[in-house]
Amino acid sequence: MSFPKICYWNCCSGLVGKLPIIVEHLTSNNLDLFFVSESEIKPNVSLDPFKIKGYSLIVSNTINRDKGRLVCWVKDNLFIHMSHLEHINNDIIVLKYQDVGIVGLYRPFKCFPGENQRTNYERLLSNLIVCAEQFPRICIIGDMNINLNSIQVCPFRSQLEDFLVNFNLDQIVQTNTRFRMVMDEMQSSLLDIVITNIPFLEIRDTHQSCSDHVMLDVASSKDGTKDHKRNQVVFNDWRWYTREAVNVIFNQFFRGLNIHQTNPEILNNKIVTAICNTLNVLVPKRTVMLPNSNSVTNPIIQNLKNKKSRLFKRYRRSQLNSDYLKLQKISKKLNNEIKSERKRKFQFTANQSARAFWSSVNHLIGKKIDSNISLSVNDIVVNDNQVIAEEFSTFFSDKVDRLVEASSPNNVVLMDLPVNHLESDFFEESEILDAISSLKPKKAQGFDEVPSVVIKDLSRSIVTPLTRLFNLVIESGSVPKGWKTSRIVPVFKSGDKKIASNYRPVSNISSLSKVFEKALINKLHKSFDLDFLFGSHQYAYRPHSSTVTACMLLQDYVANELDQNRLVLMYSADLSSAFDLLIPNLLVDRLVELNLPSRWIKCIHDYLLNRTGFVDVNGKISNSKPIPFGCVQGSVLGPALFNIYTSNLPAFTKGAFCIGYADDTYIAISCNRSDLQPALDQIHQISNDHIKYLSGLGMVINRKKTEFVIFGYNGPKVQLNFGGEIISNTNNIKILGVQFQSNLKWTSHVNKIIKKIHFLTYSLRVLNCIMTRKQHKNIINAHVLSQITYAIPIWGGNISHNDHRRLSSLLFKIVRLHCRDFSNIFSNKQLCERTSIRSLTSLRILADCCTLFKLVSYPLNTEITLRLIQQTSFSARFPNRLIFFDFSCKRIGRTSFINRSKRISELIPFDWSHLSIQQFKKRMKIATPIFMI
């Protein structure tokens, strides 16, 4: 069956000045039908200027009520106008072509008097149902204008999908716009759609700079093989994007600052609209249909499979040895062809982008992140992404509500803030440029779909309006609404993938919000000491600090106590949904105590209030829900606010050793061996105070995940009453990814590393056949050496000879596999030199020296830095060299990194106090042999 050539275009705000574009597109593509919406034709206006030779002009029936917002040019004598199927209040035009119904539609946001968005939408949908009942074949094309960010309107999308299911229709084009201004509100909408049950349709879209919509051309495919039921993929087309072009087009859309503008909401909307319009021109959305195909199939393989099948049937009948040999030969040839095709496919994917490369690698080594989520709901496995998104949204919000009820925080009323204004409260352009330059270009984009790389490329054009915007936000204490909307993505943690509780909600926020938050964080870092803001016990989200730094301090504390023949009692506190339970008013009280500028406090408070979020599962989104508590996971400002929120924890632990990394906290006390029972009573009291303190903040400790260990203790099991949960001491405890044993040995941690690497050995062998040597080495660096070198300054110099031998043997086995030396031709030293992969000892020495350099070059205001300073001095004989002393005489104390600083410094063969970290690493790599026993 033939199908006419159709085009739909939302020309935006009337036909004035756009008729030449329409005529050119109509004639050059020899279209049979051209729908144009937002044509804005008013009653009693002559249609003669809009007539085109060879085409008749039809205007939607709403011209009788207000104005016609949908018109179409129809080729003469080709279509029948079915006006009786058009509701008078709908912008809809229904045409008949042979036995096919063609429906063009436009649904405006603005409703008629006496109705709302719901009745407006239901009226249009009922009209579509009438049309679908009339025609066995139908094509619906137009603009639905469904606001995806509205609680009231968002369910309409599910009604549309029910309509498609009931009439066996497929939505083959579905465009979600980036953020845009609609009726003085920033929205993202569902528009420019094509719905049909007609197979073999080809879709092509083009963009015109005078509209933020694409022209959708629909026609029958020439060869009749393009089936619309193939996999549909929507992607952003970056082919025309350049840094120069994005700056030029942005300046065309953004006409400059209004010096009298004092409303940050309006200014933010203008900036975002200009950026989105720029992206609509340079990075249009494309929809493609991908066939379902096996990744290792080609015509040769298919031919060999058919030949093998025929030979197998012949051999089964004849049982001749000659047939068996032929079958064996063809099987071998088929296997070789499959290997070649697998390698070719992998190389093709790997060369496209770094993300595609690592996605393919993770799939092959068994670490594939499956985008298709299945969820168990009432013991029924659900695969519908829309239902899954709603279930995640309900689960995440209900979980927070339950935890808030469990913690029962005191109701806090925000009092008037003390006036504390400073000139330094506001931003300079240089500070905004620094914040923009620190954006990570590969981070996920927010609901406005503005990537960070675009903000970085626009830095020079956008810095002045952003500085003005951010200063207006600080001055008014009001954060734009668009910054308070989060696109929440469920991220799998561990366990059963069908259980919602095994997923973590991670929020993606607006790129402009990230810039503002980063600029404010930089202000905080410059204006206040981080120990004062975050507390000296907190090591997360601080410059030059890491999990290794926290483990180093803990190891030093435990080792020195054990040297004095004392016991160390320690428990870990795991918080449930810690970031989601932060109470804004309580945070403001803490900010006032710290004497932060009142403008900043008001801004932070408004940033946390009236937030909303929706769950996104593979493009299907849930209803938006309010977020009354918490700091945003995935934001820049959230982690710093959480640190400030819990910064005075040490004051409530009565002088106990306290160390924290984000929401992971470790509390310890030491005692003489004869005072174990009083120490148990003491840590019991500390744990009760700890729980009470967190409960006052609205936080809840997950008692079932709490671990308790006694370092240096070999006696019978003892128990700790932790908030009503009885916990027995264990022989080892996992601290920030490192397995600490109660005797401060590291066999458990080495066993964990060996187990993880053994899991990868087979995968590395498979990858060895399809990868280049450089690619295979990258996999070893990422998945093997990263496991070995993590926290190696803590445990690397203290493992037993047997553990060192086991780990080294496994590393050399991986290197031998990389070299394909299956006959053991090369020695271990030759393997390391051929691959430039360092031995275990070389890795340890390099990591130890670099860690010592960082501690000296970037001192932290903590006990570990003070200890290091006490063991350091300068020598007049060697003016550029630090001299270290070792005050630890006992065996266990020598395992501490600080007490090994003298031995580590002796391994550095050059003066290094004047070098930068990059220079030091470069010289140290040259000075340290690749192979060391």
Side-chain angles (χ1 to χ4, degrees):
M1 185 199 75
S2 62
F3 189 80
K5 292 183 179 181
I6 306 173
C7 181
Y8 173 86
W9 183 39
N10 185 322
C11 68
C12 290
S13 304
L15 292 174
V16 177
K18 296 162 188 170
L19 193 60
I21 299 175
I22 295 171
V23 173
E24 195 278 332
H25 192 77
L26 193 68
T27 54
S28 63
N29 293 281
N30 192 25
L31 296 177
D32 299 315
L33 179 60
F34 196 164
F35 291 104
V36 178
S37 62
E38 288 198 19
S39 50
E40 310 294 345
I41 296 181
K42 296 182 180 180
N44 303 321
V45 173
S46 174
L47 300 179
D48 292 339
F50 305 110
K51 290 184 178 179
I52 301 174
K53 186 177 180 181
Y55 292 88
S56 301
L57 180 62
I58 301 175
V59 185
S60 61
N61 285 329
T62 48
I63 194 171
N64 299 322
R65 293 287 304 272
D66 182 15
K67 54 187 176 183
R69 307 202 70 185
L70 178 69
V71 300
C72 71
W73 281 269
V74 183
K75 187 169 282 190
D76 294 336
N77 304 320
L78 197 60
F79 299 90
I80 301 174
H81 185 200
M82 311 291 287
S83 57
H84 64 282
L85 297 178
E86 301 167 1
H87 192 287
I88 193 171
N89 289 336
N90 289 332
D91 282 298
I92 184 170
I93 296 175
V94 183
L95 303 170
K96 182 179 180 182
Y97 176 81
Q98 298 179 8
D99 64 338
V100 178
I102 299 172
V103 180
L105 63 90
Y106 174 75
R107 193 186 79 86
F109 279 102
K110 188 176 181 180
C111 304
F112 286 118
E115 69 174 8
N116 55 29
Q117 289 283 348
R118 181 178 296 277
T119 56
N120 171 277
Y121 180 81
E122 290 175 350
R123 170 166 44 77
L124 175 62
L125 195 59
S126 63
N127 202 165
L128 293 180
I129 292 173
V130 171
C131 296
E133 290 172 344
Q134 283 284 328
F135 301 104
R137 301 169 185 263
I138 191 170
C139 177
I140 302 171
I141 184 169
D143 184 355
M144 293 296 291
N145 267 331
I146 297 177
N147 178 14
L148 302 180
N149 192 32
S150 171
I151 298 174
Q152 291 80 18
V153 182
C154 208
F156 295 169
R157 183 168 180 176
S158 61
Q159 294 181 25
L160 177 64
E161 291 172 355
D162 291 340
F163 164 68
L164 301 181
V165 172
N166 293 337
F167 289 94
N168 195 27
L169 301 173
D170 289 306
Q171 188 169 329
I172 61 174
V173 173
Q174 169 183 305
T175 303
N176 297 342
T177 64
R178 300 175 175 89
F179 250 172
R180 60 185 186 138
M181 181 80 74
V182 178
M183 299 174 63
D184 298 325
E185 183 180 349
M186 296 301 292
Q187 297 180 355
S188 180
S189 310
L190 175 63
L191 43 82
D192 296 344
I193 65 172
V194 177
I195 297 170
T196 187
N197 56 3
I198 303 170
F200 314 130
L201 289 187
E202 185 177 31
I203 309 297
R204 182 172 58 88
D205 56 45
T206 54
H207 192 278
Q208 296 291 339
S209 60
C210 57
S211 172
D212 61 352
H213 294 251
V214 294
M215 286 183 173
L216 282 175
D217 290 297
V218 183
S220 177
S221 61
K222 295 179 181 179
D223 55 2
T225 59
K226 294 190 177 181
D227 191 346
H228 67 277
K229 292 189 177 181
R230 296 181 179 187
N231 293 332
Q232 178 175 293
V233 178
V234 180
F235 69 99
N236 295 323
D237 190 345
W238 291 82
R239 285 179 292 176
W240 296 284
Y241 179 89
T242 62
R243 181 178 297 179
E244 296 75 16
V246 75
N247 280 276
V248 170
I249 297 178
F250 172 80
N251 290 325
Q252 293 175 359
F253 283 110
F254 189 79
R255 299 295 183 178
L257 281 171
N258 180 359
I259 60 174
H260 302 293
Q261 181 59 258
T262 58
N263 189 329
E265 185 75 39
I266 295 175
L267 180 56
N268 176 72
N269 290 347
K270 288 184 176 180
I271 296 173
V272 174
T273 301
I275 295 174
C276 291
N277 286 338
T278 303
L279 290 177
N280 288 336
V281 174
L282 290 178
V283 192
K285 287 179 176 289
R286 301 291 184 193
T287 303
V288 297
M289 302 294 181
L290 298 178
N292 292 317
S293 61
N294 191 331
S295 60
V296 288
T297 298
N298 60 29
I300 297 176
I301 292 175
Q302 193 60 46
N303 185 36
L304 290 173
K305 283 183 177 180
N306 295 337
K307 190 178 292 186
K308 179 182 176 181
S309 177
R310 291 194 297 270
L311 283 173
F312 178 74
K313 291 177 182 178
R314 183 195 299 177
Y315 168 70
R316 192 169 57 181
R317 290 193 304 267
S318 66
Q319 295 295 316
L320 294 175
N321 188 49
S322 58
D323 289 339
Y324 176 77
L325 293 176
K326 290 180 181 179
L327 178 63
Q328 198 175 35
K329 183 178 179 180
I330 204 70
S331 297
K332 185 177 180 180
K333 188 175 181 181
L334 174 61
N335 291 336
N336 290 335
E337 185 60 36
I338 290 175
K339 288 180 182 179
S340 300
E341 178 65 11
R342 182 181 288 114
K343 182 175 181 179
R344 188 191 68 80
K345 287 280 188 181
F346 177 83
Q347 290 297 336
F348 174 77
T349 304
N351 293 331
Q352 289 181 336
S353 65
R355 175 174 291 185
F357 171 76
W358 287 109
S359 177
S360 301
V361 169
N362 289 334
H363 173 69
L364 290 172
I365 67 176
K367 291 188 176 182
K368 180 184 178 183
I369 302 175
D370 194 356
S371 60
N372 297 320
I373 300 176
S374 298
L375 211 60
S376 178
V377 181
N378 298 326
D379 297 329
I380 300 175
V381 178
V382 178
N383 296 313
D384 189 299
N385 289 328
Q386 184 67 51
V387 177
I388 293 172
E390 294 291 350
E391 286 296 326
F392 271 123
S393 178
T394 303
F395 171 77
F396 291 146
S397 60
D398 289 350
K399 180 181 178 181
V400 173
D401 292 342
R402 290 194 302 270
L403 291 174
V404 170
E405 292 176 2
S407 62
S408 300
N410 297 326
N411 291 326
V412 179
V413 179
L414 184 65
M415 307 299 292
D416 292 335
L417 298 177
V419 177
N420 179 17
H421 294 334
L422 300 173
E423 287 296 328
S424 59
D425 292 352
F426 298 104
F427 297 105
E428 301 289 340
E429 287 193 2
S430 59
E431 294 174 320
I432 306 304
L433 286 174
D434 290 341
I436 293 175
S437 64
S438 65
L439 287 177
K440 297 180 179 179
K442 293 185 180 180
K443 284 291 185 180
Q445 57 202 24
F447 183 52
D448 56 4
E449 297 188 60
V450 177
S452 298
V453 66
V454 175
I455 304 297
K456 292 173 76 73
D457 290 343
L458 282 172
S459 58
R460 293 296 175 184
S461 300
I462 209 173
V463 62
T464 300
L466 281 189
T467 306
R468 172 69 170 163
L469 169 63
F470 294 168
N471 286 334
L472 284 177
V473 171
I474 293 293
E475 185 176 5
S476 64
S478 176
V479 175
K481 294 179 183 178
W483 297 3
K484 298 184 180 184
T485 301
S486 302
R487 182 170 67 92
I488 301 171
V489 179
V491 176
F492 178 68
K493 295 185 291 186
S494 61
D496 189 350
K497 291 186 177 183
K498 293 183 175 61
I499 300 176
S501 59
N502 292 330
Y503 289 81
R504 176 187 294 109
V506 175
S507 299
N508 296 323
I509 60 175
S510 166
S511 296
L512 295 189
S513 178
K514 291 179 184 178
V515 177
F516 173 77
E517 294 171 35
K518 184 62 179 177
L520 189 57
I521 287 292
N522 292 341
K523 280 275 192 184
L524 285 172
H525 287 183
K526 290 178 182 178
S527 304
F528 296 90
D529 179 68
L530 290 186
D531 282 348
F532 173 73
L533 282 179
F534 297 167
S536 59
H537 72 290
Q538 183 61 256
Y539 280 79
Y541 314 115
R542 303 174 64 154
H544 315 301
S545 179
S546 65
T547 55
V548 176
T549 313
C551 288
M552 196 179 297
L553 177 59
L554 192 146
Q555 179 199 32
D556 186 65
Y557 170 78
V558 173
N560 290 324
E561 293 296 326
L562 295 185
D563 260 356
Q564 301 174 36
N565 200 29
R566 295 169 64 84
L567 301 177
V568 177
L569 290 75
M570 175 184 292
Y571 71 84
S572 63
D574 182 83
L575 301 182
S576 298
S577 301
F579 284 69
D580 298 326
L581 297 177
L582 183 146
I583 300 174
N585 289 355
L586 285 177
L587 173 66
V588 169
D589 284 352
R590 183 63 186 147
L591 296 176
V592 171
E593 290 177 14
L594 297 174
N595 199 31
L596 262 68
S598 55
R599 287 194 182 101
W600 295 1
I601 297 176
K602 288 182 180 179
C603 184
I604 291 171
H605 186 245
D606 188 72
Y607 170 81
L608 296 175
L609 293 181
N610 302 319
R611 297 196 68 91
T612 59
F614 62 89
V615 176
D616 186 341
V617 178
N618 296 328
K620 302 293 183 180
I621 65 175
S622 68
N623 291 335
S624 296
K625 289 192 176 182
I627 305 175
F629 302 103
C631 51
V632 184
Q633 292 191 52
S635 69
V636 179
L637 191 59
L641 296 181
F642 178 81
N643 282 359
I644 296 173
Y645 193 61
T646 58
S647 60
N648 56 352
L649 172 62
F652 292 84
T653 54
K654 298 181 179 179
F657 175 85
C658 179
I659 193 168
Y661 196 90
D663 58 342
D664 294 323
T665 309
Y666 305 91
I667 308 293
I669 61 172
S670 63
C671 68
N672 294 322
R673 292 184 176 273
S674 59
D675 298 332
L676 179 58
Q677 188 57 48
L680 284 171
D681 296 336
Q682 181 185 355
I683 201 167
H684 170 67
Q685 184 60 44
I686 290 173
S687 66
N688 286 340
D689 293 340
H690 188 190
I691 294 172
K692 184 177 179 181
Y693 163 75
L694 292 174
S695 180
L697 294 178
M699 302 285 172
V700 178
I701 291 182
N702 189 343
R703 294 173 174 82
K704 294 183 179 180
K705 291 187 178 181
T706 299
E707 293 182 296
F708 174 54
V709 66
I710 304 178
F711 289 99
Y713 178 72
N714 297 320
K717 294 283 186 181
V718 297
Q719 293 181 332
L720 171 66
N721 187 347
F722 188 81
E725 188 83 17
I726 303 301
I727 304 172
S728 299
N729 67 303
T730 59
N731 292 327
N732 60 72
I733 182 173
K734 185 178 180 181
I735 301 176
L736 301 176
V738 182
Q739 292 286 346
F740 279 71
Q741 293 178 223
S742 59
N743 57 2
L744 220 58
K745 294 185 179 179
W746 306 99
T747 301
S748 296
H749 187 70
V750 172
N751 289 340
K752 184 190 76 170
I753 296 174
I754 290 175
K755 182 179 179 180
K756 287 185 177 181
I757 298 177
H758 267 307
F759 173 78
L760 294 170
T761 304
Y762 175 76
S763 300
L764 289 172
R765 186 180 295 274
V766 173
L767 292 170
N768 205 18
C769 302
I770 61 176
M771 282 186 167
T772 63
R773 295 303 82 206
K774 183 178 179 180
Q775 291 172 338
H776 197 258
K777 185 179 177 180
N778 289 338
I779 304 302
I780 294 175
N781 289 333
H783 290 282
V784 176
L785 297 185
S786 63
Q787 295 286 347
I788 294 174
T789 56
Y790 175 70
I792 197 172
I794 310 295
W795 57 268
N798 309 314
I799 60 176
S800 66
H801 175 74
N802 184 49
D803 289 339
H804 187 280
R805 179 187 58 78
R806 291 164 58 215
L807 197 53
S808 292
S809 298
L810 182 58
L811 177 59
F812 290 135
K813 178 182 177 181
I814 298 295
V815 178
R816 194 173 297 277
L817 173 65
H818 173 68
C819 291
R820 298 172 179 169
D821 181 26
F822 304 113
S823 302
N824 295 335
I825 298 174
F826 302 111
S827 65
N828 290 336
K829 182 178 181 180
Q830 290 173 322
L831 291 172
C832 290
E833 290 174 347
R834 288 173 65 90
T835 60
S836 299
I837 297 177
R838 296 181 178 273
S839 65
L840 180 60
T841 304
S842 178
L843 290 171
R844 176 182 61 81
I845 290 174
L846 193 61
D848 283 349
C849 294
C850 291
T851 303
L852 181 63
F853 178 87
K854 290 178 182 178
L855 286 177
V856 173
S857 302
Y858 309 108
L860 303 170
N861 296 327
T862 59
E863 184 179 344
I864 194 169
T865 304
L866 297 176
R867 284 279 321 280
L868 188 63
I869 292 173
Q870 291 173 359
Q871 299 181 183
T872 309
S873 69
F874 285 94
S875 171
R877 184 176 178 184
F878 304 101
N880 293 326
R881 182 174 297 181
L882 288 173
I883 306 299
F884 293 87
F885 302 96
D886 186 358
F887 295 117
S888 177
C889 299
K890 295 189 177 180
R891 180 179 60 83
I892 298 178
R894 288 183 179 274
T895 64
S896 168
F897 182 86
I898 298 302
N899 292 331
R900 291 192 293 117
S901 58
K902 181 176 185 298
R903 283 179 288 165
I904 294 171
S905 64
E906 292 171 351
L907 297 172
I908 305 174
F910 49 83
D911 295 339
W912 50 276
S913 59
H914 62 289
L915 299 177
S916 66
I917 182 64
Q918 293 80 8
Q919 293 171 333
F920 178 84
K921 285 183 177 180
K922 185 176 181 179
R923 293 190 61 177
M924 197 64 209
K925 286 180 180 179
I926 296 173
T928 307
I930 290 178
F931 178 81
M932 300 179 69
I933 300 176

